[in-house]
Amino acid sequence: MTNGSTLQELKAEIVEHGELQLIGIPCIGLNDIGSKYRQAKDSLLGLAAHMPQIVDASVQYGVWPQSDEQNNPETHVYILCVEVSTFNGVPEWFTRIVLPPHSCVAAASKDGDYDGAGRVIDDFIAANGLTVGVHKRVYTICDRYRYNMEGFARYSLPIER
């Protein structure tokens, strides 16, 4: 599957991404992460009218830095991002991330069932003999929200080829 088609509810599929240029808003610390996420979501949705370089504000990616600090609830970082066509004209206070092309396994859940989607992904990876990993990446996508399509989708780590 490519990034453009709709994922079916709690059915794992391989998703392919080309290089992604993302800008994002960090949500730092696990305390009150829900309200931090909602503020970042609303901010990114509202930017589309003012930033023509945003590809589609209704498609947002949750990104995790790959570091040991992610294990600490106080320093854990979730960065909510949108894809941009260029970083030109993007205000300096946005986090800028370039992700290389990759494939991963994704599963949608309209209810945001993170654990249920994770089980479906893990079963798919095992049944298909796939290996996933960080691949020396600084950032990985953990989830995607497509508000005009399936809603929430959890991602696996990138598939090793």
Side-chain angles (χ1 to χ4, degrees):
M1 143 172 218
T2 59
N3 188 29
S5 53
T6 303
L7 293 171
Q8 296 178 35
E9 181 73 6
L10 291 176
K11 181 177 183 288
E13 297 181 44
I14 294 177
V15 174
E16 306 277 342
H17 284 288
E19 180 180 89
L20 291 172
Q21 293 185 94
L22 304 171
I23 60 167
I25 300 171
C27 303
I28 301 170
L30 292 178
N31 186 30
D32 201 22
I33 193 71
S35 68
K36 293 172 187 176
Y37 159 79
R38 284 187 294 282
Q39 287 180 322
K41 171 191 170 187
D42 292 344
S43 294
L44 291 170
L45 286 171
L47 289 173
H50 308 288
M51 296 179 66
Q53 57 275 65
I54 294 176
V55 173
D56 182 350
S58 72
V59 178
Q60 298 179 353
Y61 296 93
V63 175
W64 281 332
Q66 295 301 312
S67 74
D68 291 338
E69 288 80 14
Q70 286 295 86
N71 296 326
N72 181 332
E74 299 302 318
T75 58
H76 181 87
V77 176
Y78 176 89
I79 307 168
L80 191 61
C81 302
V82 291
E83 183 179 6
V84 293
S85 57
T86 179
F87 290 129
N88 293 337
V90 172
E92 63 189 38
W93 49 84
F94 285 98
T95 299
R96 290 169 173 74
I97 299 170
V98 177
L99 295 177
H102 66 282
S103 302
C104 60
V105 180
S109 171
K110 289 189 189 317
D111 297 327
D113 183 357
Y114 188 84
D115 292 334
R119 284 188 295 277
V120 169
I121 289 169
D122 290 344
D123 291 347
F124 183 91
I125 289 169
N128 290 282
L130 300 174
T131 302
V132 297
V134 176
H135 306 292
K136 299 181 183 178
R137 295 171 186 263
V138 177
Y139 297 96
T140 58
I141 298 173
C142 57
D143 52 37
R144 176 185 68 197
Y145 301 87
R146 293 197 302 182
Y147 301 111
N148 297 332
M149 295 179 91
E150 72 270 351
F152 170 79
R154 182 171 175 180
Y155 273 38
S156 73
L157 291 172
I159 298 170
E160 293 181 5
R161 302 267 181 195

